[in-house]
Amino acid sequence: MVVSCNTASMTQAAATVAAAVVVSPRAPQTEPVIVTHGLVKRYRSTVALAGLDLTVGRGEVFGFLGPNGAGKTTAVKLLVGLTSPTSGSGRLLGAPLGDRDARLRLGYLPELFRYQPWLTGREVLHLHCELARLERGSWRVEIETALETVGLAGRGDDRVATYSKGMQQRLGLGVALLGQPELVLLDEPTSALDPEGRQDVRRIIAGLRGRGVTVFLNSHLLGEVERVCDRVAIVDRGRVVASQPVAELVAARSVRIQVRGLGPAEMAPLADFGRMVRDGEWLTFTDVDPDGVPDIVAAIVAAGGRVAAVLPGRESLEDRFFELLAEGRA
Ligand SMILES: Nc1ncnc2c1ncn2[C@@H]1O[C@H](COP(=O)(O)OP(=O)(O)OP(=O)(O)O)[C@@H](O)[C@H]1O
Ligand SMILES: [Mg+2]
């Protein structure tokens, strides 16, 4: 596992990596990269995860979205084997959760991390090349590529103590990218980054997608997730309340139609197609099935009207997020 982490978990990671000797066979291409069945994690009386069922396919950029305390970090820790489930099971990269060999093939940016302040950025990356058991001959290229990719090329020889928070997060991302992992798990990778840094992370994720790398992205930044993810699961109180392709989640659920040649009385029956609001020539239908729009247009024409424009409305992920949370809590 290429892991970027605080000192305590790094010791754990080092021990884990050091214990791994045999590299397991790669997961068959057909098997999901991540699959979990009813994962439960309790911390005394707190139920952090209440039965997590997840499937993430190869090459997907998967967003794991939820409010504070929803269980996102707990889920990632279970996936990478930093903690074990109270019950339930799962597989990652073709091996049971916690498998030490599988960890060597993933990159992980933890949520809370601190590097040794006395090391330079380049030395941190060097250390992680060693922990990840990368071939020594590849280290130089790996390190320079990582520094370049995360925008730290000019600062590699400066000590971590002199890095800003955002630069430390960039370094963490660089660590997670070492060794060309098949799966990269990022727990809030942009929390310390400015808009430019966020754009860089989107670019990095797009690059990973282009190389067929699977990305598991924890976030509560809805805009970020909407922009980069193929599919999202929304988690609340330890449960997944929705899991869908982003495009479906924010699919057009309303439509605005500009109608000419019909009076209010002739328009009234169109309300059968959905909630309808009239504003001059414009009719807005909400809660409509996108497949039903041609029927609305046909009905307008059949009533003697003319359709001047049809504009699909688009609900933001934020609107959908709050709706789904409310439905899940009802
Ligand atoms: N080590 C722990 N000991 C006790 N409780 C914990 C521990 N880790 C997490 N929890 C609890 O489990 C629940 C889920 O926490 P988790 O960190 O997974 O949430 P999260 O979705 O990552 O939140 P955030 O968006 O704030 O990062 C919370 O109620 C938290 O207090
Ligand atoms: Mg978290």
Side-chain angles (χ1 to χ4, degrees):
M1 168 165 54
V2 181
V3 66
S4 107
C5 47
N6 60 26
T7 313
S9 55
M10 188 149 83
T11 310
Q12 190 178 353
T16 302
V17 171
V21 179
V22 187
V23 175
S24 65
R26 305 245 143 176
Q29 295 293 309
T30 49
E31 183 172 346
V33 171
I34 298 172
V35 57
T36 70
H37 304 288
L39 280 186
V40 172
K41 180 66 182 179
R42 269 191 222 106
Y43 294 104
R44 295 175 183 270
S45 60
T46 304
V47 181
L49 279 181
L52 182 71
D53 297 312
L54 270 188
T55 306
V56 180
R58 190 164 286 274
E60 260 193 309
V61 177
F62 185 83
F64 202 52
L65 202 59
N68 291 136
K72 304 182 295 295
T73 296
T74 303
V76 169
K77 283 184 178 169
L78 288 173
L79 292 176
V80 301
L82 286 175
T83 186
S84 32
T86 308
S87 62
S89 64
R91 290 173 68 79
L92 179 138
L93 293 170
L97 294 187
D99 181 87
R100 293 176 174 184
D101 303 329
R103 289 187 194 181
L104 288 172
R105 292 157 45 208
L106 61 85
Y108 169 44
L109 172 71
E111 180 176 46
L112 302 170
F113 57 92
R114 261 186 62 205
Y115 296 108
Q116 299 83 345
W118 58 89
L119 293 182
T120 66
R122 194 169 262 113
E123 285 167 345
V124 168
L125 290 163
H126 193 278
L127 171 66
H128 283 272
C129 283
E130 192 165 357
L131 290 174
R133 300 179 156 209
L134 303 188
E135 256 186 53
R136 195 168 279 269
S138 71
W139 290 5
R140 214 179 67 81
V141 171
E142 286 281 352
I143 292 169
E144 296 316 313
T145 306
L147 287 170
E148 184 71 42
T149 306
V150 301
L152 286 178
R155 299 294 301 265
D157 290 324
D158 293 343
R159 291 193 195 288
V160 170
T162 69
Y163 281 12
S164 71
K165 201 163 43 143
M167 288 168 66
Q168 291 188 43
Q169 193 154 34
R170 285 170 184 265
L171 180 60
L173 199 55
V175 169
L177 298 177
L178 289 173
Q180 301 178 22
E182 292 166 60
L183 165 66
V184 176
L185 299 106
L186 305 173
D187 195 347
E188 311 278 0
T190 58
S191 58
L193 297 182
D194 59 18
E196 201 182 349
R198 289 184 179 174
Q199 193 180 42
D200 286 350
V201 172
R202 286 200 294 274
R203 184 179 45 76
I204 291 166
I205 292 176
L208 292 171
R209 176 196 273 121
R211 299 209 307 272
V213 177
T214 309
V215 179
F216 188 99
L217 174 69
N218 262 8
S219 185
H220 47 232
L221 296 173
L222 299 149
E224 295 290 314
V225 169
E226 189 171 348
R227 284 163 106 155
V228 300
C229 294
D230 304 311
R231 202 156 60 87
V232 297
I234 294 180
V235 60
D236 187 33
R237 300 177 182 179
R239 284 181 197 282
V240 171
V241 295
S243 178
Q244 272 180 304
V246 174
E248 274 177 31
L249 212 54
V250 298
R253 295 164 65 83
S254 69
V255 64
R256 296 186 73 218
I257 304 180
Q258 191 179 15
V259 181
R260 296 201 176 125
L262 289 187
E266 291 153 315
M267 286 182 183
L270 298 170
D272 290 346
F273 287 100
R275 215 157 1 111
M276 184 178 89
V277 175
R278 182 169 164 258
D279 178 15
E281 291 187 336
W282 287 94
L283 293 180
T284 302
F285 295 86
T286 44
D287 284 340
V288 290
D289 176 355
D291 294 338
V293 174
D295 295 336
I296 304 178
V297 172
I300 292 168
V301 173
R306 291 170 62 226
V307 173
V310 178
L311 305 177
R314 194 164 161 281
E315 202 175 27
S316 73
L317 183 58
E318 185 164 314
D319 295 336
R320 237 2 233 141
F321 177 75
F322 287 119
E323 273 174 24
L324 288 163
L325 287 192
E327 282 170 21
R329 290 173 184 182

